[in-house]
Amino acid sequence: MPGIFFLSGETALNEDNEEEATINLSTMNSLFAGKLPWHLSFSYGKALQKTCIVTWLGKAENDAAAQKALKARANANSDAVFGKYKKGSCASVGTDGNVMQAAGPY
């Protein structure tokens, strides 16, 4: 089996799904680093995209800021794959973003 991937984005509205998924992935990888016969990751849906989408909201003038947010979360998740993510080190729109994303262009 090449890998196990879990869904990242479906959490309660009062939870920051991006941050929680990144923390969870990092914790699992730090606990089992080098001990599993497969790659452990997640599907990167909402947990990769939320801050990016809420930052962008379909407006061309927000493109650069949204791309910066996406790159930052991608780097955070890269750290998490190696069990090295530090909680709170990547900016997120937090729980307010859950509602804004649901109402946005996503």
Side-chain angles (χ1 to χ4, degrees):
M1 178 180 328
I4 294 178
F5 300 83
F6 65 92
L7 295 176
S8 62
E10 295 305 321
T11 60
L13 284 178
N14 66 345
E15 293 179 11
D16 182 355
N17 52 359
E18 279 182 318
E19 183 71 359
E20 290 300 319
T22 304
I23 291 167
N24 291 342
L25 178 61
S26 189
T27 300
M28 287 187 284
N29 278 306
S30 68
L31 290 173
F32 302 109
K35 299 175 187 170
L36 299 175
W38 53 76
H39 178 76
L40 181 60
S41 191
F42 58 66
S43 66
Y44 295 105
K46 290 180 186 174
L48 180 63
Q49 303 168 4
K50 182 177 72 175
T51 293
C52 176
I53 290 169
V54 171
T55 300
W56 174 57
L57 286 177
K59 298 176 184 174
E61 63 268 22
N62 295 337
D63 286 357
Q67 289 171 357
K68 183 178 178 182
L70 180 62
K71 184 175 186 313
R73 185 52 62 179
N75 288 338
N77 289 319
S78 176
D79 289 345
V81 167
F82 296 101
K84 306 270 186 218
Y85 178 70
K86 302 295 183 222
K87 182 178 179 177
S89 63
C90 183
S92 172
V93 293
T95 56
D96 291 342
N98 295 341
V99 175
M100 293 178 357
Q101 178 183 353
Y106 189 63

